Amino acid sequence: HAGKGLRQNADSARYWYSKAAQKGHATAHLNLGILYLQQKDTITAIHCLQQAAQQGNEGALRILQRINRDDR
């Protein structure tokens, strides 16, 4: 059973964050972006973080700046 709960929780979180993001919730976009970063899906993470940043989410903007700085 080790690790199974983590995967299920990530899947559940992604599902609910996606539902909220579709309704325009910036924090949901931010949380999705963080989740995708944790799963090493940087392209999808950046897309989600950009959505949050466009809605004025400062946390997303800081993460995007860090990603940009690390890529140099």
Side-chain angles (χ1 to χ4, degrees):
H1 140 295
K4 287 183 183 177
L6 242 60
R7 181 78 214 146
Q8 186 175 12
N9 287 341
D11 291 342
S12 179
R14 184 173 42 255
Y15 172 80
W16 290 109
Y17 289 147
S18 293
K19 300 250 320 152
Q22 289 170 2
K23 294 182 180 208
H25 293 279
T27 303
H29 283 290
L30 169 66
N31 290 334
L32 269 176
I34 292 169
L35 190 64
Y36 282 116
L37 280 176
Q38 291 170 341
Q39 296 175 345
K40 310 293 186 216
D41 185 350
T42 307
I43 293 171
T44 306
I46 289 171
H47 174 75
C48 294
L49 293 167
Q50 286 172 335
Q51 294 290 320
Q54 288 172 357
Q55 295 175 3
N57 187 291
E58 292 183 21
L61 187 58
R62 283 192 296 274
I63 293 170
L64 287 168
Q65 289 169 337
R66 191 175 321 130
I67 291 169
N68 187 36
R69 186 174 51 239
D70 291 347
D71 282 347
R72 291 183 190 175

